[in-house]
């Protein structure tokens, strides 16, 4: 089911709930909310759950799922209020009570990690309460809740490693052995991919990375492991276990997880800080044996593909305004690839609605007040612009080429694709993938993966653009404010096929097709090359 299908189902249910009691839906509303939770459609989940709770009796499951959606969308404080109420209204030890207390621990954990100052009283209160809630959840079930126990173990090890005093004392080895014993009791027929993920994390408590590799490999290679769970495991292994800082073997596990996430899974996003990016590029290559153990056959090729993507990201920078902060994304291209007279000079490409001359077009700013920083190389070096070399208005190609006052040292221009992947003729055929690298929402450098199908394009031979020299492409690699000016890459060789410039939940479809769909839109890079070359602006 597509994103628009889920949004349509959610909207229809909300309209129904506005007309009649939730009890009259015959359980359909609750089933939909659970499906939205399981597929991580958090915004519609919150909306439907809110509508349900407004006209129905208290339901602990729905309240808990709504709280999960709030945590995932950055509202842990609202989630805590709901979960505290659920725990107070359900019998101690009941499944609803246990789940509410465990997710309450997750909400407090997020509050701790979002704190700018981890030593502040508020941050220390958050980690204490997270540990207490996980422990209460673990102790509430006979034999202990494995999920809560793993989080309790990971958070306790994190606190100890970072010299954070806590009231909840956990002996990691004893706790890990207890969790492994509980997992050993799982019948063989019930040992699914999540069993392997749990066992891998428990072995982290024993510092047994050989066993971690075996079980995380089974987890990664399972077709039943969705992107969302793999992303959560990567987040847990880096944020709490800090495995990327635990020597070459630990870092190799993280790199293998990143390669699996970026290459083999859909519906998500890989975000890496500039420090993580530089660490990955500077680390020794994991052994072929380790990569094959985790990723299976072709593990080395997947790793090399990831490294190509990370190297490419070095050429993508964040554009900042002196007074207004981060404005968008820009990337380096060889000037001569667009304007022959520029030769090997490196120039920056971004949207005209980010920077234009004169400024003001659709909120654009002037080049003289802006800088670009290639954070994957050095976040402390900002490059100034000396002039706008060429631009095309927002309604046309929405592109600006900028000259730099100084040439970046040691950063290569991005490769420009001459062709664009064809769109399959049949609806059930696998669509080509695209990747977007940018600074979404002004945050860290990110690879966009979620629902990243190339939907349609107006390029020849089959495209029919309304403006013959402006060929657009549409795709479902979701982007946020701050992604304007990002490069869009074809999947195989990390070559630029488009300049990202817009996105909407109801984007008009291309090539004269009726209707709208949730999509992002970019300008075909060869449309930009053709226009810039024809105008012939030089130094």
């Amino acid at each position: 089911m597509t994103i628009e299908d889920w949004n349509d189902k959610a909207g229809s249910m909300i309209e129904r709930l506005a007309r009649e009691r939730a009890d009259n839906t015959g359980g359909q509303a609750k089933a939909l909310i659970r499906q939205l939770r399981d597929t991580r459609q958090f915004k519609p989940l919150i909306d439907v759950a809110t509508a349900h709770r407004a006209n129905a009796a208290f339901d602990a499951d729905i309240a808990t799922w709504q709280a999960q959606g709030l945590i995932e969308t950055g509202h842990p404080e609202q989630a805590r209020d709901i979960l505290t109420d659920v725990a107070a209204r359900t019998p101690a030890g009941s499944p609803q009570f246990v789940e509410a207390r465990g997710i309450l621990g997750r909400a407090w954990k997020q509050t701790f990690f979002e704190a700018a100052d981890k030593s502040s009283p508020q941050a220390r209160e958050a980690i204490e309460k997270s540990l207490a809630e996980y422990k209460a959840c673990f102790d509430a079930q006979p034999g202990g809740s494995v999920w809560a126990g793993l989080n309790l173990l990971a958070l306790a090890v994190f606190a100890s490693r970072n010299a954070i005093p806590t009231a909840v004392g956990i002996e990691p080895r004893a706790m890990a052995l207890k969790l492994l014993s509980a997992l050993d009791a799982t019948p063989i027929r019930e040992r699914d991919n999540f069993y392997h993920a749990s066992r891998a994390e428990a072995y982290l408590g024993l510092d047994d990375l050989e066993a971690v590799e075996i079980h995380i490999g089974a987890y990664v290679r399972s077709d039943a492991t969705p992107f969302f769970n793999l992303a959560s495991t990567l987040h847990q292994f880096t944020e709490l276990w800090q495995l990327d800082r635990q020597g070459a073997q630990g870092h190799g596990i993280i790199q293998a997880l990143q390669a699996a996430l970026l290459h083999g899974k859909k519906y998500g996003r890989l975000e890496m800080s500039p420090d993580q990016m530089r660490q990955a590029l500077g680390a020794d290559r994991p052994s072929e044996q380790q990569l094959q153990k985790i990723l299976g056959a072709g593990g080395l090729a997947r790793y090399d593909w990831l490294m190509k993507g990370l190297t490419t990201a070095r050429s993508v920078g964040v554009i900042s305004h002196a007074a207004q902060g981060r404005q968008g994304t820009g990337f380096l291209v060889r000037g001569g690839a667009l304007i022959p007279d520029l030769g090997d000079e490196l120039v920056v490409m971004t949207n005209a609605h980010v920077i234009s001359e004169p400024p003001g077009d659709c909120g654009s700013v002037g080049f003289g007040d802006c800088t670009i920083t290639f954070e994957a190389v050095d976040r402390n070096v900002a490059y100034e612009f000396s002039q706008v070399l060429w631009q095309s208005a927002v309604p046309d190609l929405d592109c600006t080429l900028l000259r730099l006052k100084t040439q970046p040292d040691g950063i290569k221009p991005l490769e420009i694709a001459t062709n664009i992947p064809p769109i399959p003729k049949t609806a059930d055929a696998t669509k080509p993938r695209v990747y977007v690298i940018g600074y979404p929402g002004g945050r860290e450098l990110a690879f966009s993966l979620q629902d990243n199908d190339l939907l349609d394009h107006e390029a020849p031979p089959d495209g029919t653009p309304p403006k013959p020299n402006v060929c657009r492409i549409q795709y479902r690699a979701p982007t946020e404010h701050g992604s304007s000016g990002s490069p869009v890459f074809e999947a195989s060789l990390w070559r630029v096929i488009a300049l990202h410039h817009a996105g909407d939940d109801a984007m008009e479809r291309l090539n004269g097709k009726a209707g709208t769909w949730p999509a992002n839109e970019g300008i075909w890079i060869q449309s930009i090359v053709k226009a810039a070359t024809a105008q012939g602006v030089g130094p």
Side-chain angles (χ1 to χ4, degrees):
M1 188 174 292
T2 65
I3 292 173
E4 55 263 35
D5 290 335
W6 286 120
N7 287 335
D8 289 344
K9 287 175 71 71
S12 297
M13 183 58 70
I14 290 170
E15 290 178 2
R16 182 176 177 182
L17 290 170
R19 297 192 306 267
E20 57 186 283
R21 292 284 298 173
D23 297 341
N24 296 334
T25 69
Q28 292 176 346
K30 183 172 182 176
L32 175 60
I33 295 167
R34 180 166 187 168
Q35 289 175 323
L36 292 169
R37 190 279 306 263
D38 291 345
T39 55
R40 296 179 69 87
Q41 303 295 324
F42 294 120
K43 186 181 183 304
L45 180 158
I46 294 168
D47 293 341
V48 179
T50 299
H52 186 281
R53 294 181 71 203
N55 72 352
F58 171 77
D59 187 300
D61 294 329
I62 290 176
T64 301
W65 298 335
Q66 182 181 14
Q68 284 182 295
L70 288 166
I71 292 170
E72 294 292 342
T73 54
H75 303 285
E77 65 291 337
Q78 296 178 35
R80 292 199 302 266
D81 291 340
I82 294 174
L83 293 165
T84 300
D85 180 62
V86 172
R89 297 172 67 169
T90 52
S94 67
Q96 292 89 350
F97 174 87
V98 171
E99 186 171 20
R101 294 297 294 269
I103 298 173
L104 192 53
R106 166 79 173 86
W108 280 113
K109 180 176 72 173
Q110 179 155 327
T111 299
F112 169 76
F113 279 104
E114 288 180 354
D117 180 4
K118 300 296 190 291
S119 64
S120 68
Q122 294 82 4
R124 294 300 171 88
E125 177 192 30
I127 196 171
E128 286 282 10
K129 288 191 173 182
S130 180
L131 285 164
E133 294 297 342
Y134 280 135
K135 190 173 189 307
C137 180
F138 179 74
D139 292 341
Q141 286 188 341
S145 163
V146 170
W147 174 80
L150 288 169
N151 282 279
L152 177 62
L153 172 63
L155 194 56
V157 169
F158 173 87
S160 175
R161 183 175 289 141
N162 291 277
I164 300 173
T166 61
V168 178
I170 298 294
E171 202 290 302
R173 184 173 181 82
M175 185 69 178
L177 290 171
K178 186 174 184 177
L179 291 168
L180 286 169
S181 178
L183 288 165
D184 284 339
T186 304
I188 293 177
R189 64 181 179 278
E190 298 177 13
R191 295 182 180 183
D192 57 10
N193 52 328
F194 301 111
Y195 164 85
H196 289 289
S198 299
R199 202 164 183 86
E201 189 162 5
Y203 275 116
L204 284 175
L206 300 178
D207 291 323
D208 187 347
L209 297 188
E210 294 286 341
V212 172
E213 289 174 348
I214 292 171
H215 287 284
I216 209 66
Y219 177 60
V220 163
R221 295 194 301 273
S222 171
D223 292 336
T225 302
F227 167 87
F228 308 108
N229 298 98
L230 186 56
S232 296
T233 299
L234 177 61
H235 188 261
Q236 184 92 336
F237 279 19
T238 52
E239 183 178 73
L240 278 180
W241 289 102
Q242 299 177 316
L243 196 55
D244 50 339
R245 308 179 196 177
Q246 310 303 317
Q249 189 174 11
H251 197 267
I253 294 172
I254 295 299
Q255 289 184 302
L257 279 169
Q258 290 168 339
L261 188 64
L262 193 61
H263 190 271
K265 300 291 180 181
K266 292 183 67 176
Y267 309 115
R269 162 182 289 151
L270 174 61
E271 290 196 14
M272 296 179 71
S273 71
D275 289 342
Q276 289 173 326
M277 193 84 67
R278 289 190 295 273
Q279 182 185 18
L281 289 169
D284 291 336
R285 179 187 217 150
S287 70
E288 186 169 356
Q289 180 183 17
Q290 184 184 34
L291 291 170
Q292 288 185 348
K293 187 185 294 184
I294 298 173
L295 298 175
L300 190 60
R302 280 192 181 186
Y303 169 81
D304 288 341
W305 183 86
L306 169 66
M307 289 299 106
K308 172 70 172 175
L310 297 184
T311 301
T312 296
R314 287 166 48 88
S315 304
V316 182
V318 59
I319 293 175
S320 300
H321 186 273
Q324 300 174 27
R326 296 186 175 207
Q327 298 294 299
T329 301
F331 55 96
L332 288 175
V333 293
R334 179 179 171 272
L338 294 109
I339 302 171
D341 288 345
L342 295 177
D344 291 332
E345 179 182 350
L346 300 181
V347 300
V348 170
M349 181 181 293
T350 190
N351 288 137
H353 77 256
V354 174
I355 294 178
S356 68
E357 183 59 34
D361 191 7
C362 295
S364 65
V365 295
F367 72 89
D369 298 321
C370 293
T371 60
I372 186 168
T373 303
F374 301 97
E375 293 194 343
V377 179
D378 190 336
R379 67 190 315 166
N380 298 313
V381 177
Y383 294 89
E384 297 179 348
F385 302 112
S386 62
Q387 71 178 102
V388 169
L389 288 165
W390 174 87
Q391 66 184 26
S392 177
V394 175
D396 294 323
L397 298 172
D398 192 11
C399 179
T400 298
L401 295 180
L402 295 143
R403 170 165 280 160
L404 294 161
K405 287 186 177 180
T406 58
Q407 290 284 284
D409 186 27
I411 311 178
K412 294 182 179 180
L414 296 182
E415 294 182 53
I416 293 176
T418 56
N419 298 305
I420 192 167
I423 302 297
K425 302 295 185 183
T426 58
D428 58 347
T430 300
K431 292 182 173 64
R433 280 186 162 189
V434 300
Y435 295 86
V436 180
I437 301 179
Y439 292 81
R443 299 194 307 274
E444 306 288 11
L445 191 62
F447 296 86
S448 179
L449 284 84
Q450 184 171 346
D451 206 17
N452 55 358
D453 291 338
L454 176 60
L455 299 176
D456 201 2
H457 62 71
E458 297 173 329
D462 299 323
T464 56
K467 296 180 180 180
N469 296 323
V470 181
C471 296
R472 298 167 293 173
I473 78 168
Q474 290 182 349
Y475 42 92
R476 283 211 189 99
T479 58
E480 304 172 44
H481 174 70
S483 295
S484 293
S486 295
V488 183
F489 297 90
E490 50 81 29
S492 59
L493 297 173
W494 292 101
R495 292 180 299 195
V496 180
I497 60 170
L499 169 66
H500 172 76
H501 81 131
D504 199 281
D505 289 336
M507 183 74 72
E508 290 187 6
R509 299 181 67 171
L510 303 178
N511 295 307
K513 297 173 183 174
T516 64
W517 54 11
N520 284 282
E521 187 173 276
I523 305 298
W524 184 35
I525 195 69
Q526 286 301 321
S527 288
I528 296 171
V529 170
K530 182 178 179 180
T533 301
Q535 190 163 330
V537 177

